Amino acid sequence: MTGVSGPGEAGGHEDGPPARGGLPSSSLSALRGPAVRRLLALRQDQKLTTRHVRLMAESLEVTERTVWRWLAAAECDESAAAEPGARAQSRDRFSVTPEVRRLLALWKGNVAAVHRELIARAAKGEGEPPPSIPTLHRAIQRDLTPGERAGLAGGERAARKHDVFLARPSGWRNQVWETDHVQAPVLVDVDGKARRPWITWFTDCATNAITGVAITPVHPSRESVLAALRSAVLHEEPYGPFGGLPEKVRVDRGKDFLSRTVTAAFDLLDVTVEDLPAYTPHLKGTVEGLNRAVESMFLAALPGYTRQPRPGKGPSRPKNEALLDFEDFTDRARRPSCLSYCAPLLPF
């Protein structure tokens, strides 16, 4: 339990409690200076209370003790009020040089071997004595990115594992939706016949929320798209709580998504349709990831799953296997608990 300490008390941690999903860390760091200056003004007017400090600590996601320490440092040094919590940087701090980078590549990221090489060169008068191994480790961790360190140790292929492919900037809710059809790898009973139903849905790219869904026992059409769009736009029961009107919807050149009826509906709602090039599923990665998540996290546990491995050389599906009715499958797939389970970031 964190207690309230006096302004002169030392110790504690700068990082404070973990982030709670509010502002990013860079924004919180930028707010430290104005917050500390405001608390200093309150102290000069003899109006500063513990409640002010507690509220500021909760807003900046640090401990109260950290805020008291920032105030003490700012009273002693005005420059400390500009960047509270910033560590003093020593001018003679060791940094990774191009020569150290070359040695890291030569020794495949082995820091101890690089340190021995630097000591041997210093003994021959070919350079300054190196710092200690812990200091060298800290400099490498600070000055090189994880991808650079992996590349020096394992080559270009190892470095590529740390690259971000086609990263999009963070958007806002209902800025962009993505839509797609997927045929469920599950056999269900449709009027006495085993069929694989189709699922059409809309998902919000900013929150990963499934805004609308429509399930059909046959191949989807423009009616399926309109039904899913209706469930995505409406908020009242049995739809919602997510939905609304998006600014843009990404589609994958499907003729049903680009039909005159569906296009007219999007125009009426003032929604921009982005028709993606063919064979580019990565450009709508949110809904493609949803398709994979639904199969592995929901469909694989249902009876009639067609991709279940079977022992021996018998038929792929037992003749007496009990299948779900189409209505039962639809009810399970449309439950909010199922949708929140399949969409990892769906904030139900």
Side-chain angles (χ1 to χ4, degrees), residues 191-263:
D191 297 332
K193 295 183 179 181
R195 294 182 179 274
R196 293 174 56 189
W198 285 81
I199 305 175
T200 304
W201 39 34
F202 289 84
T203 178
D204 181 49
C205 295
T207 62
N208 282 6
I210 301 174
T211 55
V213 61
I215 304 174
T216 57
V218 295
H219 197 282
S221 60
R222 60 186 180 183
E223 287 81 4
S224 307
V225 178
L226 292 176
L229 179 61
R230 182 175 184 271
S231 66
V233 171
L234 298 180
H235 289 278
E236 60 270 12
E237 292 293 338
Y239 309 109
F242 295 94
L245 290 178
E247 299 179 16
K248 180 191 295 185
V249 173
R250 297 192 184 102
V251 301
D252 59 353
R253 303 183 66 86
K255 62 180 181 180
D256 42 5
F257 292 111
L258 300 177
S259 64
R260 293 182 180 179
T261 305
V262 176
T263 302

Side-chain angles (χ1 to χ4, degrees), residues 1 11 52 55 81 86 136 143 150 188 201 204 207 238 244 253-254 275 277-278 281 283 296 315 327:
M1 182 174 180
H52 293 120
L55 178 62
L136 186 58
D143 297 341
V188 299
W201 39 34
D204 181 49
T207 62
R253 303 183 66 86
D275 185 15
L283 296 182
S296 61
E327 292 77 9

